[in-house]
Amino acid sequence: WIEIFKTEPQKIGKKTRNVAFHPKRTWVLISKQDGTVELWNYRLKTLVHSFKEHNGPVRSVDFHPTQPIFVTGGDDFKVKVWKYKERRCWFTLKGHMDYVRSVHFHKEYPWIISASDDQTIRIWNWQ
């Protein structure tokens, strides 16, 4: 392995659950056990912003390939879409009845796929 990015333990804090690279910028999203999502610049090794709206661990994160948004899924059964330029949650998708373990954007269509411990896989149209 090649170590590209390592942060000091006191900066990272609670356990990391998932990570995602931005498709063009030198950014990574880090989802955390404490319900936060952190946006880091891995070249500068600096925290860009911390997002907090989930109640419980955030299990999965993904950047959209072309739009300035990202998606998260967590133990609060919610899928959230965020506008990172505005530093806020744009909207919340509700419907899962258990922990959301995985979320991803489709590369071409305005879809998010999510998988949950409720034994469902959902495809959401985010537009």
Side-chain angles (χ1 to χ4, degrees), residues 54-67:
H54 279 280
N55 293 316
V58 181
R59 300 284 176 174
S60 186
V61 293
D62 192 34
F63 277 108
H64 189 276
T66 60
Q67 300 298 315

Side-chain angles (χ1 to χ4, degrees), residues 54-59 73-78 98-101:
H54 279 280
N55 293 316
V58 181
R59 300 284 176 174
D75 284 7
D76 56 3
F77 313 167
K78 295 175 183 169
D98 207 337
Y99 298 164
V100 178
R101 297 292 182 165

Side-chain angles (χ1 to χ4, degrees), residues 11-29:
K11 288 185 180 178
I12 286 296
K14 300 289 181 183
K15 293 180 183 178
T16 297
R17 290 288 166 217
N18 197 249
V19 295
F21 278 110
H22 189 277
K24 294 182 179 163
R25 295 182 179 219
T26 57
W27 286 353
V28 291
L29 283 172

Side-chain angles (χ1 to χ4, degrees), residues 64-106:
H64 189 276
T66 60
Q67 300 298 315
I69 58 177
F70 66 90
V71 63
T72 59
D75 284 7
D76 56 3
F77 313 167
K78 295 175 183 169
V79 174
K80 292 182 174 283
V81 179
W82 306 77
K83 290 186 170 186
Y84 59 74
K85 287 183 177 179
E86 296 177 17
R87 298 183 175 193
R88 66 177 181 90
C89 180
W90 187 16
F91 58 87
T92 301
L93 300 168
K94 297 177 184 176
H96 282 298
M97 302 304 288
D98 207 337
Y99 298 164
V100 178
R101 297 292 182 165
S102 184
V103 293
H104 296 282
F105 282 105
H106 191 280

Side-chain angles (χ1 to χ4, degrees), residues 18-60:
N18 197 249
V19 295
F21 278 110
H22 189 277
K24 294 182 179 163
R25 295 182 179 219
T26 57
W27 286 353
V28 291
L29 283 172
I30 302 173
S31 67
K32 310 298 274 304
Q33 176 75 19
D34 66 358
T36 61
V37 176
E38 295 178 345
L39 177 61
W40 285 82
N41 183 316
Y42 61 81
R43 289 243 170 102
L44 299 177
K45 298 182 181 179
T46 57
L47 179 66
V48 176
H49 191 71
S50 182
F51 302 86
K52 173 80 169 142
E53 223 180 269
H54 279 280
N55 293 316
V58 181
R59 300 284 176 174
S60 186

